[in-house]
Amino acid sequence: MTTRTEPPALSPVARTAAERRVLNALALEPGGPPSPQARIAGKIVRSVLMTFWGSLPDTDDGLRRFQRANDLFSRVQTVPRGVSIAQEDLGTCTAEWVRAGAPDERKVFLYLHGGGYFFGSARLYRPSNWRLSAATGRPVLALDYRLVPDHTPSDALEDALGAYDFLLRSGYAPGDIVVGGDSAGGHLALALLLALKERGTGLPAAAVCLSPWVDLRCESDSHRLNARSESVIPARKLAWLGRRFCADLTENDPLLSPRRGDLTGLPPMLFVASGSEILRDETRDVAERARAAGVQAVYQEWDGMMHVFTVFSDYVPEGKAAFRHIAEFLRGAEA
């Protein structure tokens, strides 16, 4: 009887200084001090983005002014040669396909961007979505769901359900789909899982939530404790948005507080947060609640990072490393 021996795994060899920097970045793990690049980027983002957001009035006009600035910035987003972008019309909204390398077309990652439900777009997220496709070996369907103030988070959930149904109609089995999102998109991803479970639709293979805003009431202690160390979101602004959104929701609405929903039966989930952001405690809490409900849930906390630091992967090495951790989580979830 002959025993087949698998060949040893090949370790990548860095031949240039640039390749060494990439490999060193990919090797980073949560728990260590932030890199110098992360510290510098956090200060810049705080002085520009957070200051601008904090200066705007709590009105529809203020939200639209931020949207316009975001839309202008999204136009300068680029992707490397070889990454393909294709538009998709989903009826109530649009989406775009992002493919890096040679992804497995039998699988797909449905990604829901962040932005407090009032800004953000698939185009803005191209620099992180191509990395997500490359790391996971899947095409990414990045959803441009409808935004406040012209629409509501409930409209966004309807769009997310429509996108999931579109993937099912396109021939993907639920087990071929991964759902993910960051910030408000992480909140939307959890709400999508609960809505799918409620209507009896097959659930995706796994979910990835990056710094999810999982409680619109903003009741976690870190909203207060980390208000000064947060470098992206003005805590007062998020609390105002939360009050506005909650006014239109009923107590049993999956959008209100998905971390308090019935999480039993949900697929494996990865939660990632920064130790210094205002959404830290609620991200920890939903991971603990998921584990208590029998869900395979992994929680990672990166010290000193910006909120959704993966978005800044072009500048922050920890962002690049996070995509490796996402890929490793998905391989484990599918094993």
Side-chain angles (χ1 to χ4, degrees):
M1 178 178 176
T2 301
T3 302
R4 182 169 179 254
T5 303
E6 294 293 335
L10 296 177
S11 299
V13 177
R15 292 178 292 272
T16 66
E19 289 176 350
R20 284 194 294 273
R21 285 195 296 271
V22 171
L23 289 179
N24 289 337
L26 292 175
L28 291 172
E29 300 284 337
S35 65
Q37 300 95 314
R39 293 181 188 275
I40 294 170
K43 291 179 181 179
I44 294 173
V45 170
R46 181 182 181 90
S47 65
V48 178
L49 188 151
M50 189 172 177
T51 299
F52 177 57
W53 187 353
S55 70
L56 297 174
D58 293 341
T59 61
D60 285 359
D61 180 64
L63 297 179
R64 289 194 174 94
R65 285 170 60 187
F66 199 94
Q67 279 180 355
R68 289 193 293 270
N70 168 81
D71 290 342
L72 287 172
F73 181 70
S74 71
R75 296 179 186 179
V76 303
Q77 301 303 316
T78 61
V79 296
R81 183 178 301 174
V83 174
S84 68
I85 307 291
Q87 301 302 311
E88 189 72 61
D89 186 352
L90 299 179
T92 60
C93 66
T94 60
E96 66 178 31
W97 289 99
V98 181
R99 292 177 170 89
D104 184 350
E105 295 294 337
R106 297 169 300 178
K107 299 182 178 182
V108 66
F109 200 123
L110 174 61
Y111 196 80
L112 310 170
H113 69 77
Y117 282 109
F118 75 96
F119 76 97
S121 65
R123 182 166 187 161
L124 180 71
Y125 274 68
R126 285 179 183 176
S128 56
N129 283 337
W130 80 257
R131 292 182 187 277
L132 185 61
S133 176
T136 63
R138 299 166 178 257
V140 172
L141 182 65
L143 186 64
D144 267 321
Y145 53 84
R146 290 170 289 175
L147 298 173
V148 170
D150 296 323
H151 300 281
T152 68
S154 295
D155 294 326
L157 178 56
E158 179 183 337
D159 293 342
L161 284 164
Y164 192 85
D165 290 341
F166 164 77
L167 292 175
L168 295 179
R169 292 195 305 272
S170 299
Y172 292 102
D176 298 327
I177 303 171
V178 170
V179 170
D182 65 277
S183 197
H187 175 269
L188 183 56
L190 280 170
L192 172 61
L193 293 179
L194 293 173
L196 291 171
K197 175 184 169 183
E198 176 67 22
R199 76 178 195 182
T201 302
L203 296 176
V208 176
C209 296
L210 309 175
S211 300
W213 181 24
V214 292
D215 189 353
L216 297 182
R217 294 186 176 102
C218 299
E219 293 176 337
S220 297
D221 288 341
S222 56
H223 283 266
R224 172 179 51 85
L225 298 175
N226 286 354
R228 291 184 179 275
S229 58
E230 170 68 59
S231 55
V232 177
I233 306 172
R236 181 184 63 81
K237 292 291 187 180
L238 196 68
W240 171 72
L241 282 172
R243 290 193 299 271
R244 172 179 176 147
F245 298 158
C246 288
D248 298 325
L249 302 176
T250 60
E251 277 297 321
N252 62 349
D253 194 306
L255 280 166
L256 184 61
S257 181
R259 70 170 172 154
R260 294 191 177 91
D262 179 8
L263 304 179
T264 57
L266 295 189
M269 292 189 282
L270 171 65
F271 297 93
V272 179
S274 163
S276 57
E277 68 171 317
I278 61 175
L279 302 184
R280 178 196 64 196
D281 288 357
E282 62 199 68
T283 306
R284 282 181 186 170
D285 180 68
V286 71
E288 292 170 358
R289 289 173 182 264
R291 284 194 289 265
V295 176
Q296 178 190 334
V298 176
Y299 172 74
Q300 285 190 353
E301 188 171 303
W302 295 72
D303 296 333
M305 290 295 104
M306 291 178 288
H307 170 67
V308 195
F309 58 95
T310 51
V311 173
F312 305 95
S313 293
D314 285 351
Y315 317 102
V316 177
E318 290 88 345
K320 297 180 180 69
F323 287 108
R324 173 180 67 82
H325 287 274
I326 291 171
E328 290 176 349
F329 166 77
L330 292 182
R331 283 195 293 271
E334 295 176 328

